[in-house]
Amino acid sequence: MKIVLQRVSQASVTIDTKVVADIQKGLLVLVGIEDLDNQEDINWLASKTVNIRVFGDENDVMNLSVKDTDGDVIVVSQFTLHAATKKGNRPSYIKASKPEIAIPLYENFVLQLEKELGKKVQTGVFGADMKVLLLNDGPVTIVIDSKNRE
């Protein structure tokens, strides 16, 4: 499972001109799922997401988490995080899970985030054509791969 965390001042997701998610200060989390992902990956990434210290403290040092700042989270499914670009110019998405595998894992990830964060997490709609608008704060963007825990 791969995620891209972006610290945002605001973010929203729109589908067919309807805003389905909208936050101010918090994290926009793009998540890509592959067939090898499991509950251990979900638990590890959910904990990492709510506890990673990317928000400024009183000295403007990144010492606070989204949980510490009572920030909000939007999760958006993004199979393109598993793009293979080694050969040619057209990415292959063969590693990305099909919906029957990915949707339950995605939903479980959202539930685990809510449990860890202690409040509702907003989402896009799995598989929909979404317009994601964000104001990246910093910018702070971090890529985390549960299969490569550095």
Side-chain angles (χ1 to χ4, degrees):
M1 186 175 275
K2 291 182 184 178
I3 62 173
V4 175
L5 298 175
Q6 295 178 82
R7 185 179 75 184
V8 297
S9 299
Q10 64 185 68
S12 64
V13 178
T14 303
I15 301 171
D16 295 330
T17 71
K18 182 179 181 222
V19 176
V20 297
D22 187 22
I23 65 169
Q24 295 303 308
K25 182 179 178 178
L27 295 173
L28 173 66
V29 182
L30 307 175
V31 59
I33 298 167
E34 64 179 323
D35 289 352
L36 297 175
D37 293 330
N38 58 38
Q39 191 63 44
E40 181 183 335
D41 297 295
I42 289 168
N43 294 346
W44 186 79
L45 281 174
S47 178
K48 187 64 77 175
T49 299
V50 301
N51 293 302
I52 195 163
R53 298 184 308 171
V54 295
F55 292 90
D57 62 14
E58 64 278 354
N59 298 314
D60 208 26
V61 176
M62 288 195 286
N63 275 328
L64 302 174
S65 69
V66 70
K67 189 174 184 176
D68 296 332
T69 61
D70 196 34
D72 292 310
V73 176
I74 294 179
V75 178
V76 175
S77 62
Q78 182 140 14
F79 73 92
T80 60
L81 292 179
H82 287 291
T85 59
K86 186 175 181 179
K87 293 177 11 180
N89 292 320
R90 182 181 215 172
S92 167
Y93 304 107
I94 194 98
K95 284 186 72 177
S97 289
K98 301 288 185 250
E100 57 272 10
I101 294 173
I103 291 172
L105 292 170
Y106 170 80
E107 291 172 347
N108 223 356
F109 178 64
V110 172
L111 289 173
Q112 189 63 34
L113 276 174
E114 290 177 341
K115 182 179 173 186
E116 299 256 351
L117 192 58
K119 65 179 176 178
K120 184 86 174 123
V121 169
Q122 296 187 49
T123 66
V125 175
F126 191 96
D129 181 17
M130 296 174 271
K131 306 303 179 213
V132 180
L133 181 67
L134 69 133
L135 184 56
N136 194 320
D137 182 18
V140 175
T141 301
I142 299 173
V143 179
I144 306 174
D145 186 339
S146 66
K147 304 296 190 232
N148 187 15
R149 299 181 188 189
E150 299 178 325

